């Protein structure tokens, strides 16, 4: 729920990132409180959401690196499950504990922040940033989101 709240708040084309730090996390806490799954649970303040997101973000970024390393080691005949299993093994070997936020990573993995940051040329040399198209393996490029002025104009 917190991941969804962060994604929806940070991708708001009208407000965008033109807001104060406390306002941003206040909006996330408000969105989180409106989720139907939190009915009957204690209310989370903006600072609670910020701290939890910081932990989720840190662990998901570390796992994204492990997944990218596992993807590079993918050999013929391996499927997505084999890559995930190898990514979990790499994460465990590097950090000494199991990755328990796979559900959050599955939601965040196609967001622009967590898409592959490098691409590999045919000869194995890394070059620049990969596009979202390369990271998702889709034939059509993703449409660019509208800018703040265009969204406000609508």
């Amino acid at each position: 729920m917190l991941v969804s709240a962060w994604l929806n708040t940070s991708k708001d084309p009208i407000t965008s990132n033109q807001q104060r730090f406390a306002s941003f996390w206040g909006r996330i806490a408000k969105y989180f409180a409106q989720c139907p799954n939190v009915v009957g649970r204690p209310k989370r303040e903006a600072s609670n959401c910020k701290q939890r997101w910081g932990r989720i973000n840190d662990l998901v970024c570390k796992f994204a690196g492990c997944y990218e390393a596992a993807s590079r080691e993918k050999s013929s005949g391996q499927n997505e499950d084999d890559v995930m299993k190898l990514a979990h093994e790499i994460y465990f070997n590097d950090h000494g504990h199991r990755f328990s936020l796979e559900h959050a990573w599955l939601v965040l993995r196609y967001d622009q922040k967590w898409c592959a940051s490098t691409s590999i040329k045919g000869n194995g040399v890394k070059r620049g940033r990969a596009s979202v198209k390369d990271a998702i393996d889709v034939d059509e490029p993703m449409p660019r989101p509208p800018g703040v002025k265009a969204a406000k104009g609508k």
Side-chain angles (χ1 to χ4, degrees):
M1 293 180 292
L2 182 60
V3 169
S4 176
W6 185 86
L7 281 172
N8 288 325
T9 304
S10 65
K11 291 182 181 236
D12 181 9
I14 295 174
T15 307
S16 184
N17 61 358
Q18 298 174 355
Q19 53 191 320
R20 294 191 185 274
F21 185 76
S23 173
F24 176 72
W25 286 104
R27 290 180 63 218
I28 290 176
K30 181 180 175 185
Y31 185 96
F32 183 80
Q34 293 173 348
C35 291
N37 295 347
V38 291
V39 174
R41 294 184 183 179
K43 184 181 178 192
R44 304 270 173 127
E45 297 296 325
S47 62
N48 301 124
C49 293
K50 180 186 170 293
Q51 287 177 338
R52 181 64 183 147
W53 172 253
R55 183 75 175 144
I56 290 171
N57 184 29
D58 182 48
L59 295 175
V60 168
C61 286
K62 289 177 182 177
F63 185 76
C66 295
Y67 181 81
E68 189 174 337
S71 296
R72 279 186 255 129
E73 295 180 18
K74 182 178 178 181
S75 62
S76 178
Q78 287 186 328
N79 60 16
E80 182 66 22
D81 293 335
D82 296 329
V83 174
M84 282 299 289
K85 188 184 293 186
L86 181 58
H88 279 283
E89 289 175 15
I90 292 170
Y91 185 89
F92 182 77
N93 291 337
D94 288 352
H95 303 290
H97 57 88
R98 300 202 181 282
F99 180 67
S100 61
L101 295 172
E102 187 173 338
H103 60 283
W105 179 78
L106 290 172
V107 174
L108 293 169
R109 73 186 283 190
Y110 295 121
D111 189 54
Q112 194 171 17
K113 178 178 178 179
W114 288 273
C115 286
S117 60
T118 57
S119 62
I120 298 177
K121 278 178 49 177
N123 61 2
V125 177
K126 291 183 183 180
R127 290 190 47 171
R129 295 185 61 86
S131 68
V132 174
K133 175 183 168 187
D134 295 337
I136 300 175
D137 294 328
V138 176
D139 292 337
E140 298 177 17
M142 292 181 66
R144 184 175 177 159
V148 174
K149 290 182 181 178
K152 285 183 179 178
K154 287 183 181 180

